Amino acid sequence: DAKTTQPTSMDCAEGRAANLPCNHSTISGNEYVYWYRQIHSQGPQYIIHGLKNNETNEMASLIITEDRKSSTLILPHATLRDTAVYYCIVRVDRSNFGNEKLTFGTGTRLTIIP
Amino acid sequence: GAVVSQHPSWVICKSGTSVKIECRSLDFQATTMFWYRQFPKQSLMLMATSNEGSKATYEQGVEKDKFLINHASLTLSTLTVTSAHPEDSSFYICSATDLSGANVLTFGAGSRLTVL
């Protein structure tokens, strides 16, 4: 699976949009971009994933560049509860996903400032 | 959505004793579950892949005789830390995928082990 690069930490004001970047310049054509977050002392929580089109769900939006070498996770109106470590992971989305592990990098520690 | 439950959420034990951590998939079956370990201020590291009805697959550097994994049913995997020592103190997290649902890897809330 392709390697990802994320900033170590970021701050964002409460109520503003939090934009978390991720570089994955070696991504292959069949690899998806997944985002998870981990709030302190909890298990990781799935946020969103995508292949090449932009995606949006109730939690966030995922913007993937046309060349797919980078992406941005957007939390539209950050709250204090969004303070967490955010992980960007690239992997092949095979049909037997249940048998495929996820490899975590160091992630971005996002702090929402009141 | 899919829920993965872990028990206990925290445990304290004496050095030399064994501790069992349970991971259950609620309302879905999981032929495969993953066990991760996380030390303070570090990322998650995969320890092993638990396969229902067969032996677990361990990552390089993880002692299979120390971290016993049993996946006896489609909804339960257990991790037993045998002869625990203080250096085994960590946050242990399991995960599984509901292939009939959203098909994303779902994580349990984690189990914090402290070995005195």
Side-chain angles (χ1 to χ4, degrees):
Chain A
D1 295 330
K3 181 179 177 179
T4 63
T5 303
Q6 300 177 251
T8 303
S9 63
M10 292 180 62
D11 292 341
C12 178
E14 186 179 17
R16 305 296 291 270
N19 297 279
L20 291 91
C22 179
N23 286 320
H24 30 79
S25 58
T26 61
I27 192 170
S28 301
N30 60 348
E31 288 184 311
Y32 285 67
V33 180
Y34 284 81
W35 282 85
Y36 280 76
R37 73 179 182 183
Q38 186 179 25
I39 296 171
H40 183 61
S41 294
Q42 297 183 24
Q45 176 189 24
Y46 165 80
I47 301 173
I48 198 168
H49 75 283
L51 182 62
K52 55 183 179 181
N53 296 322
N54 298 336
E55 302 288 345
T56 296
N57 62 20
E58 65 278 4
M59 291 183 66
S61 295
L62 174 60
I63 308 298
I64 302 174
T65 58
E66 192 169 344
D67 63 7
R68 304 210 320 122
K69 292 182 183 296
S70 65
S71 60
T72 301
L73 178 73
I74 301 173
L75 307 179
H77 305 286
T79 70
L80 297 179
R81 287 176 293 182
D82 292 322
T83 292
V85 177
Y86 287 76
Y87 297 98
C88 170
I89 302 166
V90 172
R91 63 179 304 286
V92 176
D93 193 12
R94 304 180 217 275
S95 59
N96 59 338
F97 181 87
N99 297 326
E100 299 293 333
K101 62 188 179 185
L102 283 180
T103 301
F104 286 80
T106 54
T108 296
R109 182 173 298 278
L110 176 66
T111 303
I112 306 301
I113 310 297
Chain B
V3 176
V4 174
S5 174
Q6 278 186 246
H7 178 81
S9 56
W10 60 269
V11 57
I12 300 172
C13 71
K14 293 182 178 181
S15 186
T17 61
S18 295
V19 174
K20 179 185 288 188
I21 300 170
E22 293 185 347
C23 178
R24 294 181 184 273
S25 57
L26 304 185
D27 299 326
F28 73 96
Q29 296 181 334
T31 57
T32 301
M33 293 183 176
F34 302 99
W35 286 96
Y36 290 81
R37 177 169 58 180
Q38 185 177 35
F39 292 109
K41 299 188 184 301
Q42 295 185 22
S43 188
L44 285 78
M45 294 298 295
L46 181 68
M47 297 177 64
T49 302
S50 173
N51 303 298
E52 188 269 334
S54 64
K55 292 183 178 180
T57 305
Y58 291 82
E59 296 298 301
Q60 189 174 9
V62 178
E63 300 175 57
K64 61 179 172 59
D65 294 330
K66 181 168 186 61
F67 299 100
L68 300 179
I69 291 173
N70 185 293
H71 195 150
S73 78
L74 288 171
T75 60
L76 174 64
S77 174
T78 60
L79 169 69
T80 301
V81 183
T82 63
S83 186
H85 289 93
E87 57 265 31
D88 299 322
S89 298
S90 188
F91 193 49
Y92 293 88
I93 311 168
C94 70
S95 61
T97 298
D98 180 6
L99 294 174
S100 64
N103 201 23
V104 293
L105 198 58
T106 302
F107 289 81
S111 300
R112 185 163 300 282
L113 170 64
T114 302
V115 184
L116 302 177

